[in-house]
Amino acid sequence: MHDRLDDRRDNNSEVENKDYQKDIRYALQLCRWVIKPIGIWPLIYDGATKREIIISIVLGFACISCLCFVLIPSGLHTLIYEKNINIKLKLFGPVGFCLTSTIKYCYLGIKGKAIGRCIGYMDKDWRHVRDKDYRRIMIKHATVGRNLTILCASFLYSGGMSYHTIMPLFSRKRIDENHTIRPLTYPGYDHFFESQASPTYEIIFFTHCIYALITYNITTATCSLAAIFVSHVCGQVQIIISRLDDLVEGKRSKNTVVADRLAVIIQDHVKVLRFSEQVEKVLREVCLMELVASTLIICLLQYYCMTEWSNNDAVAIFTYFILLVSFTFNIFIFCYIGELLVNECRKIGAASYNIEWYRLSANKSLDLVLLIAIANYPPKITAGKIFELSFATFGRVLKSSVVYLNLIQAVAE
């Protein structure tokens, strides 16, 4: 039923917004920049050319190869060869992040058509927005989505690239049997070949940097999709509220009959609810993975900071602290997006009551009751239909990370 939500790109329909191309490009620009380098964009966007599809396939193969190049050796080393429990714990964080990033990458590819339907819905709204004030509302909320993407990318890339460049380059080098051991971000390659020899070491180091860009692109992509979809919903909600304010007077509407103006409001509200449900279906699994992985990684990063503090390694402490802030802020953005969706959709109920409904006929006033009742049960973004993304959930994530930290310290001792 919801596949009919978008009617995708009806090229025969009239484009009522003359700036439609510029607007939709503005709304999706940062998301496209993040998703294109990992080869996902042609899977979710119908307008891709054959050349773009071929490039996407090549990029997808390269990304999977790079992820496996890190995951397989480091995973085997962590699970099988490494016996020191403290070093094991130090490797669980980066290896676990690599595993979850690989799963999220595959998930984005599998959900490409569903994500494309959501983009098609946005496309349709931008095509048919006529009122300049409504267009300004949509642009304002598109800017919110862009800003959230920029914040997420800034924190993730600053922390992640520090971990993959500054820490290996400036960490203390070990001397083993009169040979200097240059540190690598991910160990395990010595089981297959001599990783310390040049140019092998340099190639592995460079590959780790490329891997870091891929993984943080994947995480930023999921955050960006959530941000642009929810901010678009918020824009549509503000338009509905604006129409509610004009319901009695009808000064800005082309419809001269109250019933027709109310019908437009109800139709728009139903579309918003259906789109929100579609977005929740697309994001619920990846949000669950993000929530669980971030809780464990935040916990491990707290442990790493405490360990390096006792070792007096300033570079490691600085790097882990930046990563801790990055992952904490990343999960905060997801929870903020969920909270924003709920709060904005609830405003429809308050707006319905605050208008001069007493000036309407009795029947028309009663029609608002159902709208108010539905608005009291706003759509939500959940993590696997288990946890609701909200500020309360963010608080529980931080509390859980402290509990797990105590458990890890007990295991390490």
Side-chain angles (χ1 to χ4, degrees):
M1 180 180 71
H2 301 303
D3 290 351
R4 299 196 303 270
L5 164 68
D6 47 83
D7 277 346
R8 293 309 306 262
R9 301 175 190 285
D10 187 1
N11 293 322
N12 297 321
S13 63
E14 182 184 354
V15 177
E16 299 171 62
N17 175 16
K18 64 179 181 179
D19 297 314
Y20 146 74
Q21 292 286 352
K22 183 178 71 175
D23 292 344
I24 191 67
R25 194 182 304 118
Y26 176 79
L28 296 173
Q29 185 182 47
L30 296 184
C31 182
R32 187 172 65 249
W33 285 356
V34 171
I35 292 179
K36 261 193 172 182
I38 56 177
I40 298 293
W41 184 252
L43 299 178
I44 66 177
Y45 197 69
D46 275 352
T49 62
K50 287 185 179 180
R51 180 173 172 270
E52 288 176 327
I53 293 172
I54 293 171
I55 293 173
S56 170
I57 294 171
V58 173
L59 287 173
F61 178 77
C63 290
I64 287 293
S65 300
C66 192
L67 290 167
C68 291
F69 180 79
V70 172
L71 180 60
I72 294 173
S74 58
L76 290 174
H77 178 82
T78 304
L79 295 175
I80 299 173
Y81 298 106
E82 185 56 60
K83 304 302 179 185
N84 188 310
I85 186 65
N86 288 310
I87 298 178
K88 258 187 192 291
L89 286 171
K90 224 167 191 180
L91 293 173
F92 272 144
V95 173
F97 179 71
C98 180
L99 178 61
T100 54
S101 295
T102 305
I103 295 172
K104 282 189 289 186
Y105 182 66
C106 296
Y107 179 83
L108 287 175
I110 293 170
K111 287 285 187 177
K113 288 186 178 179
I115 296 171
R117 285 195 291 271
C118 294
I119 291 177
Y121 177 93
M122 291 179 58
D123 184 278
K124 190 175 179 182
D125 283 343
W126 282 108
R127 276 175 181 266
H128 299 298
V129 60
R130 291 190 298 258
D131 192 291
K132 290 183 179 179
D133 290 335
Y134 296 165
R135 177 174 171 267
R136 277 195 289 268
I137 290 172
M138 291 173 67
I139 290 174
K140 176 184 174 182
H141 285 84
T143 304
V144 171
R146 287 168 61 95
N147 291 341
L148 288 173
T149 301
I150 291 170
L151 281 173
C152 178
S154 300
F155 276 91
L156 282 174
Y157 283 113
S158 60
M161 295 313 295
S162 298
Y163 179 73
H164 287 84
T165 55
I166 295 175
M167 196 166 167
L169 291 175
F170 292 95
S171 290
R172 299 166 183 169
K173 297 176 175 61
R174 294 185 295 108
I175 298 178
D176 185 20
E177 297 180 0
N178 299 323
H179 294 286
T180 301
I181 306 298
R182 294 179 289 181
L184 284 168
T185 309
Y186 300 93
Y189 297 95
D190 289 328
H191 303 296
F192 303 95
F193 47 80
E194 177 54 52
S195 64
Q196 292 296 311
S198 293
T200 306
Y201 176 85
E202 287 77 11
I203 292 172
I204 295 174
F205 182 85
F206 177 74
T207 306
H208 285 174
C209 293
I210 299 298
Y211 153 83
L213 291 174
I214 293 170
T215 53
Y216 294 115
N217 258 37
I218 293 168
T219 303
T220 304
T222 57
C223 181
S224 179
L225 287 170
I228 64 170
F229 290 155
V230 170
S231 62
H232 183 78
V233 170
C234 293
Q236 297 304 301
V237 168
Q238 286 300 316
I239 290 173
I240 291 172
I241 292 173
S242 180
R243 283 181 171 149
L244 278 167
D245 292 338
D246 190 51
L247 177 63
V248 178
E249 298 290 343
K251 293 179 179 179
R252 297 178 54 185
S253 176
K254 290 183 178 181
N255 298 316
T256 57
V257 182
V258 173
D260 292 340
R261 295 197 292 272
L262 185 59
V264 171
I265 292 170
I266 299 299
Q267 288 171 359
D268 285 353
H269 190 220
V270 169
K271 285 197 298 182
V272 164
L273 294 176
R274 288 182 176 174
F275 177 59
S276 301
E277 183 181 351
Q278 187 76 17
V279 169
E280 201 276 335
K281 283 183 179 179
V282 168
L283 296 176
R284 64 170 66 140
E285 288 86 0
V286 76
C287 285
L288 177 62
M289 203 174 307
E290 197 73 46
L291 196 69
V292 173
S294 293
T295 302
L296 296 176
I297 290 172
I298 289 170
C299 164
L300 288 168
L301 286 170
Q302 291 171 345
Y303 173 75
Y304 300 158
C305 287
M306 293 172 62
T307 304
E308 297 302 337
W309 185 272
S310 60
N311 295 336
N312 294 319
D313 191 339
V315 174
I317 293 170
F318 175 74
T319 306
Y320 285 134
F321 179 75
I322 293 177
L323 273 174
L324 177 60
V325 173
S326 300
F327 278 94
T328 303
F329 193 79
N330 181 55
I331 197 62
F332 173 78
I333 289 178
F334 275 93
C335 292
Y336 170 75
I337 289 169
E339 187 83 13
L340 182 65
L341 177 64
V342 171
N343 289 340
E344 286 296 315
C345 290
R346 274 186 178 145
K347 289 180 181 179
I348 294 176
S352 301
Y353 182 77
N354 289 332
I355 66 173
E356 296 176 337
W357 52 266
Y358 46 82
R359 292 175 54 190
L360 299 172
S361 64
N363 290 336
K364 294 298 176 287
S365 299
L366 288 174
D367 290 340
L368 292 174
V369 173
L370 183 59
L371 183 62
I372 295 171
I374 296 297
N376 286 331
Y377 298 91
K380 300 172 183 177
I381 294 180
T382 65
K385 299 194 78 173
I386 301 172
F387 307 103
E388 176 189 336
L389 291 187
S390 62
F391 289 150
T393 301
F394 178 70
R396 286 195 289 270
V397 166
L398 296 184
K399 290 178 183 177
S400 299
S401 67
V402 174
V403 173
Y404 293 139
L405 174 62
N406 294 331
L407 180 62
I408 288 175
Q409 286 178 313
V411 171
E413 292 172 0

